[in-house]
Amino acid sequence: MSSKITALKDAVRNIPDFPKPGIQFKDITPILGQAHLFQEAVEQLTFPYQPGDIDVVVGIDARGFIFAAAAALHLKTGFVPIRKKGKLPYQTHEEQYDLEYGSNEMAIHTDAIPKGSRTLLMDDLLATGGTAGAAVRLLNKLEVNLLEAVFLVELDALRGRDLLPEIPVRSIISF
Ligand code: AMP
């Protein structure tokens, strides 16, 4: 592992039993708060793409927004949010999913992305893959060209990438 990735990994703070007993919560806010780490995280997440390679970066509610919006600026693309159900004001597609802690429904605006757009999906963390799986189903409804799903952190033991068989999955840090 390169020293830059090690620095990112070392900055992730483990919070036992949050938000429920038994969950090891990976707190990425120490990365956000240090300019060189936040910058490095965005560079790793967007590698090897250059401006012009991607049309849109999609971020998943809520921590995914932070990285996806920064990545979109980095790649000079638009940013599109996938939000918890009931938050988006216009017409939406919706998908249900199970979480490591609970279940939920999320949504995307029906006109958010033109068909065939070269799209990156981004979130802070891949755990069971339920959230990202639902995001992929939403993007499939819009018939985008989904190039990759990228995560800052992956919890390997939960095998979330098994729920995303049809797209390339990449993560920067593994636990
Ligand atoms: P999953 O659907 O199980 O892959 O969960 C991924 C989503 O839930 C991401 O949006 C994460 O922000 C959040 N999440 C799940 N488990 C954790 C965890 N252990 N630490 C931090 N965030 C988590």
Side-chain angles (χ1 to χ4, degrees):
M1 205 173 10
S2 80
S3 60
K4 288 176 174 175
I5 307 281
T6 305
L8 286 174
K9 187 168 181 172
D10 289 347
V12 177
R13 180 163 55 186
N14 191 67
I15 313 284
D17 301 317
F18 181 89
K20 286 187 178 173
I23 302 293
Q24 302 287 328
F25 192 87
K26 302 298 182 198
D27 177 17
I28 51 84
T29 61
I31 290 177
L32 301 178
Q34 297 176 74
H36 68 289
L37 294 178
F38 189 20
Q39 184 73 39
E40 184 60 28
V42 173
E43 275 169 24
Q44 294 287 340
L45 286 163
T46 53
F47 182 83
Y49 304 106
Q50 299 291 324
D53 293 342
I54 301 288
D55 298 312
V56 63
V57 183
V58 175
I60 300 178
D61 205 340
R63 287 177 295 277
F65 293 168
I66 301 164
F67 295 105
L73 285 175
H74 197 73
L75 293 173
K76 303 193 188 307
T77 73
F79 162 76
V80 167
I82 288 182
R83 294 210 65 181
K84 305 265 165 59
K85 187 184 169 180
K87 299 287 188 185
L88 289 172
Y90 184 62
Q91 292 166 18
T92 54
H93 294 299
E94 287 160 17
E95 281 286 336
Q96 204 171 14
Y97 63 103
D98 294 321
L99 285 169
E100 193 183 1
Y101 42 85
S103 95
N104 219 329
E105 227 172 315
M106 62 190 177
I108 193 167
H109 276 151
T110 53
D111 65 348
I113 310 174
K115 259 186 205 176
S117 298
R118 296 164 301 170
T119 302
L120 278 187
L121 176 63
M122 211 166 272
D123 202 359
D124 68 322
L125 184 140
L126 178 65
T128 65
T131 309
V136 170
R137 294 196 296 280
L138 288 172
L139 294 172
N140 286 341
K141 285 181 178 172
L142 296 183
E143 299 180 55
V144 308
N145 175 13
L146 181 54
L147 298 177
E148 211 180 20
V150 193
F151 304 88
L152 184 62
V153 180
E154 179 172 5
L155 304 183
D156 288 344
L158 296 175
R159 306 198 60 83
R161 57 175 66 222
D162 292 355
L163 283 189
L164 309 169
E166 52 324 332
I167 45 154
V169 174
R170 187 163 58 87
S171 60
I172 312 306
I173 303 163
S174 294
F175 289 97

